[in-house]
Amino acid sequence: MRGRRGIRTAFVSAAAALLCAGAVSGCTAGSPGAAAPAESRAPAPARTPAPSPTPDSLWDVSPGSVAAVGDSVTRAFDACAVLADCPEVSWATGTDTAVNSLALRLLGPEKAVTRSWNLARTGARMAELPEQMAGAAAEKPELVTVMMGANDACRPTPELMTPVADFRFSFETALARLRAGAPKAQVYVSSVPDLKHLWSTGRVSPAGLKVWKLGICGSMLADAEDLGPAAERRRTTVRERVVAYNKVLEEVCAEDERCRYDGGAVFGFRFDGGQLSPWDWFHPSRDGQARLAELAYRRITKE
């Protein structure tokens, strides 16, 4: 405010000087209130307004604690054994050195055990994120990782996918819950993976086709061998919904000065057969988890 008042005063003075220069009388040097000659006045020092903080200036590239929220990917479901969580190989908080999780990279082995928390739940959808965020806020973490949304698209049919407006409301509510309890926590938001790419990778595997018939992500993976126009339209509809979810994640994150979106890195990552679970050809394997950790670390530590 002081900078603006100085600019306004300088502007009024300059305007008065111009009026005096053009007037015939009323602004003589001897008259009360007359301006001093220009050559006798010292120029006013320029005022530089203080810059407003930006998201990048508030971002700490080496946070000292990590809380992870999300779904089965963050729980490393089907990464170690069939139909089981394996959080020790989680991309976010795992302790397996082969994966080299985000927590291991940021905190080191000892603090990764004591200063990281995996609050994700297999099967969770975005509507559950506010509750998970409240739990994360209670730990007062310096960084919260979010990977949520695949289950909102992976429904039995496309008609049952979470509406985009509901997805947005839940994500906004989740960030508000976090800010209520941990106002300075940083947030890393992962994009939702490209489910259609996962279909195109797994459909060439006889084992993948067999297990998908049990009902995994029916909206995308049902009738996986069907390449007809109706099936292709269905898959395109699901992919478009994932794209819409990612746009929501990006937009809402951009409104929070301590939030970083991954820029679509996970959506754009091309998982191959070795990076998918050998039990379901859908969830990341150990190697897939390691790739997710690498993507997150690269974005979080970018200056």
Side-chain angles (χ1 to χ4, degrees):
M1 294 297 292
R2 294 172 62 186
R4 292 179 183 172
R5 191 177 296 114
I7 293 170
R8 194 160 49 244
T9 302
F11 175 79
V12 171
S13 299
L18 288 172
L19 289 172
C20 288
V24 176
S25 62
C27 286
T28 61
S31 63
E39 60 272 13
S40 68
R41 295 196 306 271
R47 292 174 181 253
T48 304
S52 300
T54 64
D56 284 341
S57 68
L58 292 173
W59 190 265
D60 180 4
V61 298
S62 55
S65 55
V66 179
V69 295
D71 54 27
S72 56
V73 175
T74 300
R75 293 297 298 174
F77 181 80
D78 268 3
C80 303
V82 64
L83 299 179
D85 290 348
C86 189
E88 59 268 28
V89 303
S90 167
W91 67 272
T93 60
T95 55
D96 188 313
T97 56
V99 171
N100 198 15
S101 72
L102 180 64
L104 280 177
R105 294 169 192 241
L106 291 174
L107 311 177
E110 293 184 8
K111 288 186 177 180
V113 175
T114 61
R115 301 295 295 157
S116 69
W117 306 271
N118 192 323
L119 305 174
R121 186 185 70 82
T122 293
R125 299 200 293 272
M126 184 57 77
E128 186 180 311
L129 191 62
E131 180 182 351
Q132 290 189 16
M133 278 292 207
E139 303 294 348
K140 305 300 181 186
E142 294 185 20
L143 174 70
V144 178
T145 67
V146 180
M147 184 177 287
M148 185 79 90
N151 290 323
D152 292 87
C154 276
R155 307 294 291 144
T157 65
E159 292 75 20
L160 295 176
M161 293 188 296
T162 302
V164 176
D166 293 351
F167 187 91
R168 179 184 293 272
F169 175 79
S170 294
F171 187 45
E172 290 175 338
T173 302
L175 283 181
R177 289 277 186 92
L178 177 68
R179 291 290 163 242
K184 293 185 178 181
Q186 298 180 164
V187 184
Y188 164 77
V189 180
S190 166
S191 50
V192 181
D194 186 348
L195 301 178
K196 192 172 184 182
H197 172 72
L198 296 179
W199 162 78
S200 67
T201 300
R203 74 183 184 87
V204 299
S205 164
L209 292 174
K210 185 176 181 180
V211 72
W212 288 355
K213 290 178 181 179
L214 299 177
I216 297 176
C217 195
S219 56
M220 176 62 73
L221 303 182
D223 303 317
E225 296 175 279
D226 185 354
L227 301 180
E232 281 297 295
R233 283 195 299 271
R234 169 172 55 82
R235 296 181 193 113
T236 298
T237 296
V238 176
R239 188 178 191 275
E240 289 173 348
R241 183 61 58 88
V242 169
V243 170
Y245 290 162
N246 284 335
K247 184 173 179 59
V248 167
L249 296 175
E250 181 179 20
E251 291 175 349
V252 174
C253 184
E255 295 172 359
D256 187 305
E257 62 185 7
R258 298 182 189 273
C259 185
R260 276 190 180 184
Y261 176 62
D262 76 353
V266 172
F267 178 82
F269 185 73
R270 306 290 88 177
F271 289 91
D272 62 30
Q275 292 157 349
L276 296 177
S277 166
W279 292 285
D280 65 21
W281 283 82
F282 183 73
H283 290 90
S285 63
R286 270 186 172 89
D287 186 45
Q289 291 283 340
R291 302 288 78 75
L292 293 175
E294 181 181 351
L295 291 174
Y297 182 76
R298 189 183 305 160
R299 179 68 176 124
I300 290 165
T301 58
K302 183 177 180 181
E303 296 284 356

